[in-house]
Amino acid sequence: MISFTLNGSPVRVADGTSLWDAARRQGIDIPALCHDPRLRPVGVCRLCVVEVKGSRLLVSSCTRPAEEGMEVETRSPRVESSRRTLLELLLADHPSPCAAVPTEKGCALESWGARYEARAGRFAAARLEPPGGAPRHLARDRTSPVIDVDLSACILCDRCVRGCDEIQSNDVIGRLGKGARAWIGFDDGLPMGESSCVACGECQAVCPTGALTNRSSAGSAVHDHVATVCPYCGVGCAITAHVEAGRIVEVTGRDSPVSQGRLCVKGRYGHDYATHPQRLQVPLIRRESAYPKGPLSADVAGTGRRGKPGGIVRDEEVLPAFREASWEEALDLTARRLLDIRDRHGPGALAGFGSAKCSNEEAYLFQKLVRAVFGTNNVDHCTRLCHASSVAALMETIGSGAVSNVFADALQAQALFIIGSNTDENHPVAATFFKEARARGTRLLVADPRRPAIADHADLYLRFRSGTDVALLNGMMSVILEEGLVRQDFVDRRTEGFEALAAKLRDWPVGKAAAVCGLPAEAIREAAHLYGRAERAMIFWGMGISQHATGTDNARCLISLCLMTGNVGRPGTGLHPLRGQNNVQGASDAGLIPMVFPGYQAVGDERARARFESAWGARLDPRPGLTVTEILAAALDGRMRGMYMLGENPFLSDPNINKVRKALAALEFLAVQDIFLTETAEFADVILPASSFFEKEGTYTNTDRRVQIGRKVLEPPGQARLDWEVICDLAGRMGYPMRYGSPEEIFDEMRSLTPDYAGLSYARLAETGLLWPCPSEDHPGTSVLFENEFPRGRGRFVPVEYRPPQEEPDREYPFVLNTGRVLEHWHTGTMTRRASVLDALQPRPYVEIHPDDARALGVRDGDFVRLRSRRGRIELAVRVADRTTRGSVFVPFHFREAPANVLTIDVLDPYGKIPEFKFCAVAIEPVPG
Ligand code: SF4
């Protein structure tokens, strides 16, 4: 500790504390323009200067650490005079008023100037027009759809440069020119909207003036501020929503252990879907057989060309099939039809799809309705389509499907292995932590057939042949075995079945693995060294691993790799399948899966069932229910008759859409509860207008297992109701009253039946939430799992043999189709395609084709091609890019007007029942004209 004197008072601080931080902790405000606590201090603005006794010059307090015995004055006349003069100089060259002072954040230069009564007029303005040496068209740049640039307000503090670089690791912004002609530029002088900027908004968030401002908040003044979380991905970034007159005008990052104030483009700018004019506002009932069920166009080639920008459902084309109804009529009809089907065909003829976008409370109530009222375990959600195989493998080998460590633990790891994860686009804020770790010296191994952006930061990138993950991982493990990198003490103490794995690996010498996965043996050896030699190494994976017919095998191999190297149970180690939706972890925790009650208590376990029967006052089915994909198959063959869907859109998200169309159309009765008229809702008999994320309160569990509260920001539009109230109302009409006063009451019931959630009261979750397991109200929550043992006791090695993909390319269908997401859109695009900024950034479907293949096909960027598989065809524009490998193409699956899942194969992984979204064979034909 250091003792020194600050403004005459004794102060003690930790060694290395800057004078600026020390003063702040004492409640002393030192002005600063270039400094932000999240950035490395640089001391260029000189506004934070203080006087240190014995020092000839004033020193910048953000860069100068406190020293033993120092005597520091932060407000001496000399200091105050220096600051005033500096502010006057800066203000002399500053527009008045500052270009945009959008929120209460305002312009820091102007507000410090006012506090110091700095008079700009004292100095004649020697303003350069345009400011600095910037070309005139870049000085006022409105090419970005979200951020306005006004370089006349720029004070060259470099905060935007450092925010882009140090916080987001995007490295887009830099200082161009020299001296008085210096200016801030994007990608060496491109307009912002044409640069490689990913619109995360970090630059405007850290800019202290009006040089970089959010267009959405320009001119707004009076705000409510609501602390909540982002509604999109499993990272679960903490946000503050700023509201004016019933509209979110700005979202800012909030400090939290998850995101540390960082956001991506969806979190910061993807909020106006909630007030989109197409929101459903009144219940709808289908007119008797006046229209065929379902979207008319999804299996028709050419829709990618005709779809209007945004491509969203045209209400005027669809709404005539429905008539408006009262809630009474819509819910009575729903209850009557579902009960009728149950009575005629038994509970097994009913099913429910819940949603990983809904809160824990809604997921809990939904599965309770299906189990206790419908009388079946046929309840599932989109976890089946993202990490079901990962969970199957984790349950089998470890006994828990949860991540072992939080993603921010990457900062403590010596090595990271990221496989099958396009992290920058699917989990953008998690990616910033991985890149930060790399910048601090952590070694980074990335493996993916389609080059993800994070590969640019990797020590080693492996572009292996698609679908050969098992061969690659067996090859890596065989090197680790052969070269004595196995942590034998860990294997002996904590695992079982290693001999069987070792025997299997002897069949997989690195040369054989290399031949199968199309890599040099040396690259696989190097990868094994990078991971296997680290003291602390973490594995992160995404749907490139899980969405295969061998998804469970792929995950089994990753788990074996982790266990054989003893990389679990400590900070900076472990296994982390990055979860997709914002509440896919919580929906599973809440029992929205067919095999288990809340808290992963098996429906077949008599004691667990007795506990739930007693709590819910209903007889419960001991047999596991059907999964998402099995339910749709059952609809096709007539076993499934009636369904209730809350917030799911299987028509776009499930494989082989033309089959899904037949399944949905075959249902006797379908009720859909959603915020928009989705493609699936077009098949519905009853549509119930739901509340959006921003209109309700509830808890959400992120990929780390952190349970956080999402708070109400807006009122639901029209007659739209809160989802939990609708579920309760429907249950009552089906003869099972559910009475709750608030989401908190529902959560209290859920945690009373879910041991890992027992200690998570709303009061404790407060602003930043807690990590489960949290078994009691005095428990702090758990960051690192499996420190001493696994839930199943010993970790189990499951040796795996390589199996090729189900539908290899051939002469007729020579290309491999890979599907996935893009940064700006989410899943079926229901929300993001109605978020104006996101839609503007990524308005149309496309197929990414390797330049060599494009040349061979005779197509260029923007040309149209037809993609055909054995199941259907779509037409869409070409994007030529070498991210994809020769012989493979990539299609994002968000776009209704060219739905990738028309093409995908509905073959399933036998264990996780997850479809093979990442591999099927397609043909490509140019479309003339
Ligand atoms: Fe939202 Fe995920 Fe982006 Fe964070 S990383 S802002 S949670 S979409």
Side-chain angles (χ1 to χ4, degrees):
M1 296 294 281
I2 301 284
S3 300
F4 73 106
T5 306
L6 188 63
N7 294 349
S9 302
V11 172
R12 271 170 68 76
V13 293
D15 206 359
T17 307
S18 72
L19 294 174
W20 194 86
D21 283 335
R24 208 153 81 131
R25 277 172 217 160
Q26 299 302 308
I28 298 169
D29 220 5
I30 299 181
L33 290 172
C34 72
H35 187 52
D36 180 296
R38 291 190 299 152
L39 299 172
R40 192 172 34 87
V42 289
V44 297
C45 77
R46 308 299 297 170
L47 197 61
C48 72
V49 289
V50 293
E51 194 161 4
V52 174
K53 190 171 176 190
S55 186
R56 188 170 59 85
L57 300 173
L58 298 177
V59 302
S60 75
S61 60
C62 68
T63 51
R64 181 73 178 263
E67 290 167 23
E68 190 65 34
M70 223 177 204
E71 290 180 34
V72 181
E73 283 293 336
T74 67
R75 293 184 195 130
S76 70
R78 189 176 161 214
V79 165
E80 297 288 84
S81 164
S82 163
R83 287 180 188 156
R84 187 173 301 107
T85 306
L86 182 68
L87 287 165
E88 286 174 348
L89 282 164
L90 286 170
L91 284 166
D93 195 26
H94 189 73
S96 181
C98 185
V101 190
T103 65
E104 76 284 5
K105 173 185 149 197
C107 171
L109 172 56
E110 290 188 350
S111 75
W112 283 117
R115 278 179 53 186
Y116 274 81
E117 296 178 351
R119 298 183 316 275
R122 239 183 3 120
F123 298 95
R127 182 183 297 243
L128 284 172
E129 270 302 339
R136 194 165 295 276
H137 71 288
L138 298 182
R140 283 220 164 73
D141 176 2
R142 287 176 62 91
T143 55
S144 157
V146 282
I147 295 170
D148 286 343
V149 182
D150 177 3
L151 292 183
S152 69
C154 173
I155 55 169
L156 289 174
C157 65
D158 287 345
R159 268 162 69 154
C160 58
V161 179
R162 288 177 289 141
C164 186
D165 181 356
E166 292 172 23
I167 298 177
Q168 294 276 350
S169 302
N170 286 329
D171 302 338
V172 176
I173 313 179
R175 221 185 235 229
L176 305 174
K178 287 206 292 193
R181 306 202 75 81
W183 53 288
I184 294 300
F186 303 88
D187 281 350
D188 291 338
L190 288 177
M192 191 179 200
E194 292 170 26
S195 72
S196 59
C197 167
V198 292
C200 68
E202 197 67 59
C203 56
Q204 69 75 30
V206 293
C207 174
T209 71
L212 298 167
T213 50
N214 272 341
R215 193 169 309 148
S216 65
S217 54
S220 57
V222 183
H223 294 166
D224 285 336
H225 315 286
V226 184
T228 182
V229 286
C230 172
Y232 286 109
C233 87
V235 173
C237 297
I239 64 170
T240 301
H242 304 265
V243 187
E244 184 187 34
R247 194 172 67 93
I248 300 174
V249 291
E250 187 170 34
V251 163
T252 49
R254 195 159 54 80
D255 197 18
S256 91
V258 176
S259 47
Q260 298 181 3
R262 306 171 192 192
L263 293 176
C264 78
V265 63
K266 291 189 289 293
R268 199 181 296 276
Y269 299 115
H271 44 75
D272 60 348
Y273 73 89
T275 45
H276 193 280
Q278 286 188 322
R279 279 292 302 276
L280 289 169
Q281 302 197 22
V282 63
L284 300 172
I285 293 178
R286 176 173 292 279
R287 294 180 197 276
E288 284 307 313
S289 61
Y291 292 82
K293 284 186 170 184
L296 300 174
S297 58
D299 57 353
V300 180
T303 53
R305 185 193 294 270
R306 290 199 298 268
K308 68 171 182 175
I312 51 180
V313 182
R314 289 155 293 247
D315 278 357
E316 65 279 10
E317 289 176 12
V318 180
L319 280 175
F322 297 91
R323 65 175 173 82
E324 293 189 356
S326 66
W327 273 103
E328 283 287 308
E329 185 188 6
L331 284 174
D332 271 347
L333 177 64
T334 304
R336 200 171 63 243
R337 295 290 304 273
L338 291 173
L339 285 173
D340 174 55
I341 291 171
R342 190 185 70 181
D343 293 345
R344 282 190 292 120
H345 301 284
L350 294 179
F353 284 177
S355 171
K357 279 258 158 284
C358 286
S359 65
N360 289 323
E361 293 77 0
E362 291 157 349
Y364 172 81
L365 276 197
F366 189 87
Q367 59 86 39
K368 180 175 173 179
L369 171 86
V370 173
R371 293 194 153 109
V373 188
F374 292 11
T376 171
N377 289 310
N378 292 338
V379 61
D380 206 356
H381 72 291
C382 68
T383 190
R384 194 66 43 209
L385 309 178
C386 86
H387 269 302
S389 49
S390 308
V391 171
L394 287 163
M395 292 298 289
E396 169 190 47
T397 54
I398 282 174
S400 162
V403 301
S404 68
N405 294 59
V406 302
F407 67 79
D409 257 17
L411 296 170
Q412 301 186 56
Q414 285 181 352
L416 304 180
F417 180 19
I418 300 174
I419 180 166
S421 162
N422 181 8
T423 328
D424 283 271
E425 299 200 56
N426 289 324
H427 300 89
V429 167
T432 67
F433 285 82
F434 303 159
K435 290 183 275 193
E436 183 181 337
R438 173 66 190 83
R440 292 189 195 181
T442 300
R443 302 201 71 209
L444 178 58
L445 166 64
V446 175
D448 204 306
R450 177 175 178 250
R451 186 183 174 99
I454 201 155
D456 294 349
H457 299 255
D459 293 277
L460 178 63
Y461 165 54
L462 302 179
R463 178 178 263 186
F464 63 102
R465 194 171 286 140
S466 185
T468 62
D469 308 65
V470 165
L472 169 65
L473 296 168
N474 276 350
M476 283 176 65
M477 287 191 283
S478 100
V479 172
I480 286 170
L481 180 68
E482 187 187 299
E483 300 193 12
L485 295 173
V486 174
R487 306 278 156 83
Q488 201 59 49
D489 60 323
F490 183 91
V491 169
D492 294 343
R493 271 188 302 113
R494 302 276 311 265
T495 69
E496 63 188 30
F498 183 67
E499 274 318 309
L501 177 77
K504 170 61 68 187
L505 295 180
R506 283 183 207 107
D507 287 347
W508 276 94
V510 65
K512 177 178 167 185
V516 173
C517 56
L519 288 169
E522 209 33 55
I524 298 180
R525 201 177 287 283
E526 199 185 331
H529 293 165
L530 193 154
Y531 178 82
R533 286 178 179 162
E535 270 302 307
R536 297 180 306 285
M538 294 183 81
I539 302 177
F540 293 94
W541 73 94
M543 282 166 261
I545 282 289
S546 60
Q547 287 181 337
H548 284 280
T550 56
T552 305
D553 284 349
N554 296 346
R556 284 168 174 156
C557 288
L558 290 172
I559 297 161
S560 292
L561 182 62
C562 164
L563 293 179
M564 75 193 296
T565 53
N567 270 310
V568 70
R570 293 173 285 133
T573 66
L575 295 158
H576 194 125
L578 287 152
R579 308 290 163 152
Q581 299 270 16
N582 60 330
N583 199 38
V584 71
Q585 178 67 58
S588 303
D589 299 344
L592 207 61
I593 33 182
M595 311 83 182
V596 292
F597 296 122
Y600 304 95
Q601 300 170 74
V603 295
D605 178 329
E606 261 180 47
R607 283 176 56 190
R609 200 170 58 256
R611 197 174 317 126
F612 282 93
E613 285 182 339
S614 151
W616 294 349
R619 295 282 297 164
L620 300 174
D621 189 343
R623 295 161 301 172
L626 301 178
T627 61
V628 161
T629 36
E630 290 169 335
I631 287 168
L632 291 176
L636 260 183
D637 66 24
R639 283 174 295 143
M640 189 59 59
R641 305 281 178 139
M643 287 193 69
Y644 176 28
M645 288 195 201
L646 168 57
E648 287 269 287
N649 191 10
F651 186 74
L652 280 191
S653 63
D654 285 27
N656 193 358
I657 282 178
N658 284 321
K659 200 161 153 188
V660 176
R661 163 195 293 280
K662 290 184 192 126
L664 293 174
L667 288 169
E668 262 182 49
F669 179 77
L670 171 63
V672 170
Q673 186 167 318
D674 216 313
I675 61 174
F676 291 108
L677 214 165
T678 62
E679 291 72 16
T680 300
E682 293 182 52
F683 291 87
D685 297 280
V686 174
I687 300 174
L688 305 170
S691 39
S692 80
F693 175 90
F694 289 113
E695 290 146 14
K696 54 195 178 189
E697 183 179 61
T699 57
Y700 299 82
T701 308
N702 82 341
T703 187
D704 284 340
R705 299 175 268 106
R706 181 172 292 274
V707 184
Q708 307 182 93
I709 298 184
R711 293 191 176 79
K712 179 175 171 175
V713 178
L714 303 171
E715 290 298 330
Q719 296 177 32
R721 290 177 66 187
L722 297 176
D723 295 82
W724 69 266
E725 289 180 354
V726 177
I727 297 168
C728 290
D729 202 337
L730 180 61
R733 286 164 205 265
M734 294 182 78
Y736 182 90
M738 283 187 184
R739 294 195 184 89
Y740 301 93
S742 67
E744 185 173 0
E745 267 185 36
I746 303 165
F747 190 68
D748 285 343
E749 178 180 308
M750 175 182 151
R751 68 193 182 98
S752 74
L753 293 162
T754 310
D756 283 339
Y757 275 59
L760 301 175
S761 66
Y762 264 40
R764 293 192 72 208
L765 296 178
E767 298 296 301
T768 54
L770 284 169
L771 292 160
W772 69 257
C774 182
S776 62
E777 299 227 0
D778 55 2
H779 192 283
T782 313
S783 176
V784 179
L785 294 185
F786 321 135
E787 280 178 317
N788 300 311
E789 63 172 3
F790 298 107
R792 73 177 297 279
R794 285 177 171 260
R796 180 176 162 206
F797 288 102
V798 178
V800 173
E801 184 51 51
Y802 165 70
R803 286 184 290 130
Q806 296 285 312
E807 190 182 64
E808 299 259 36
D810 55 19
R811 281 168 67 93
E812 198 182 349
Y813 298 99
F815 289 91
V816 173
L817 170 69
N818 177 14
T819 65
R821 301 193 189 109
V822 298
L823 169 67
E824 296 83 0
H825 285 302
W826 189 257
H827 230 241
T828 61
T830 307
M831 293 152 63
T832 52
R833 300 203 72 198
R834 292 175 176 91
S836 53
V837 164
L838 303 178
D839 187 50
L841 286 166
Q842 199 68 257
R844 290 179 201 284
Y846 65 89
V847 52
E848 188 179 88
I849 300 180
H850 189 276
D852 293 350
D853 292 330
R855 217 169 297 122
L857 288 161
V859 294
R860 290 178 301 185
D861 251 338
D863 287 353
F864 266 71
V865 290
R866 181 177 302 118
L867 258 60
R868 278 192 297 109
S869 77
R870 290 182 174 84
R871 293 152 293 281
R873 59 198 171 132
I874 57 175
E875 285 181 14
L876 67 181
V878 168
R879 197 175 283 183
V880 179
D882 58 8
R883 286 183 71 181
T884 197
T885 40
R886 261 193 300 271
S888 290
V889 296
F890 171 80
V891 178
F893 74 100
H894 316 290
F895 298 92
R896 167 194 170 98
E897 60 272 40
N901 282 321
V902 162
L903 308 172
T904 48
I905 187 168
D906 53 337
V907 62
L908 302 181
D909 172 278
Y911 310 96
K913 309 283 173 70
I914 194 170
E916 183 144 80
F917 286 114
K918 297 292 187 196
F919 200 109
C920 73
V922 293
I924 307 175
E925 298 148 9
V927 178

